Amino acid sequence: MSIRHGLLALLERGQMYGYQLRAAFEESTGSTWPLNIGQVYTTLSRLERDGLVRSLPESETGQRPYEITDAGRADLALWFATPISRTDRPRDELAIKLALALTTPGVDVRAVVQNQRTATMRTLQELTRLKYASDRPEDLPWRLVLDAMMFQAEAEVRWLDHCETSLARHRPPVSGPASHSEAVGHTGEEARR
């Protein structure tokens, strides 16, 4: 999810200033996606530049609230209506890392897989603990976020199992002695010297 659309969705609830937006974002995602206040205000500036939000006069406490515009509502509606494509997501760093480990001399690929599995299992345990920490109805949004993260972690563990099996079966091509014709040619060349 882009921060841009996350903030638009929160502003659809009503006017908010930066710190309120950050708190609401973290409440909605169960703090699984920490957001710093700098990101919030940078994104608000871009949204205002693009005409998707407008800033309102400062309050007596010096806080400037923002509200969503009609163009922002249209952009938000389009985002909700458009499926997320895998090509829109960042590259899978883990898959790239393992592919490079396999082709980089001196790297213990099985250790890379095992280290990742240990870290992923630890993450899965922490997510499970968080999920069962509360069953209040108002916590459903972030429990769904936790579910998504748990399913991704479980899928990653299954994929790491598959990688380990594939590595056990893998027989890298052996660069053996030179072929007969190469040996003959080499010997003949030596004889001519």
Side-chain angles (χ1 to χ4, degrees), residues 34-105:
L35 197 61
N36 69 54
I37 195 65
Q39 288 174 293
V40 173
Y41 280 109
T42 300
T43 306
L44 283 172
S45 294
R46 291 176 182 156
L47 289 169
E48 187 171 24
R49 177 201 64 196
D50 296 340
L52 303 180
V53 303
R54 75 172 59 89
S55 58
L56 300 171
E58 285 187 4
S59 65
E60 293 178 357
T61 57
Q63 293 159 329
R64 183 180 297 282
Y66 289 80
E67 69 177 7
I68 191 169
T69 64
D70 288 343
R73 288 192 180 87
D75 193 82
L76 182 63
L78 180 62
W79 180 64
F80 277 126
T82 307
I84 303 293
S85 167
R86 288 197 65 83
T87 57
D88 295 338
R89 301 177 190 178
R91 293 181 176 85
D92 188 334
E93 183 179 348
L94 177 58
I96 294 170
K97 182 180 182 180
L98 285 187
L100 290 173
L102 198 56
T103 55
T104 303

Side-chain angles (χ1 to χ4, degrees), residues 29-172:
T29 61
S31 299
T32 53
W33 188 348
L35 197 61
N36 69 54
I37 195 65
Q39 288 174 293
V40 173
Y41 280 109
T42 300
T43 306
L44 283 172
S45 294
R46 291 176 182 156
L47 289 169
E48 187 171 24
R49 177 201 64 196
D50 296 340
L52 303 180
V53 303
R54 75 172 59 89
S55 58
L56 300 171
E58 285 187 4
S59 65
E60 293 178 357
T61 57
Q63 293 159 329
R64 183 180 297 282
Y66 289 80
E67 69 177 7
I68 191 169
T69 64
D70 288 343
R73 288 192 180 87
D75 193 82
L76 182 63
L78 180 62
W79 180 64
F80 277 126
T82 307
I84 303 293
S85 167
R86 288 197 65 83
T87 57
D88 295 338
R89 301 177 190 178
R91 293 181 176 85
D92 188 334
E93 183 179 348
L94 177 58
I96 294 170
K97 182 180 182 180
L98 285 187
L100 290 173
L102 198 56
T103 55
T104 303
V107 176
D108 184 347
V109 187
R110 288 178 177 79
V112 174
V113 171
Q114 189 55 43
N115 288 340
Q116 185 63 45
R117 184 204 309 281
T118 301
T120 305
M121 289 301 296
R122 193 178 300 127
T123 299
L124 192 53
Q125 289 167 356
E126 179 62 15
L127 292 172
T128 303
R129 187 188 66 75
L130 287 172
K131 178 179 176 180
Y132 292 107
S134 170
D135 59 355
R136 298 181 307 168
E138 59 267 33
D139 289 338
L140 180 60
W142 75 266
R143 283 207 309 273
L144 292 177
V145 173
L146 289 175
D147 283 340
M149 296 172 75
M150 290 171 65
F151 291 152
Q152 289 165 7
E154 289 168 355
E156 185 172 294
V157 170
R158 285 201 303 276
W159 180 70
L160 289 169
D161 289 343
H162 170 76
C163 290
E164 212 160 43
T165 303
S166 298
L167 286 169
R169 294 177 181 161
H170 180 59
R171 297 289 176 265

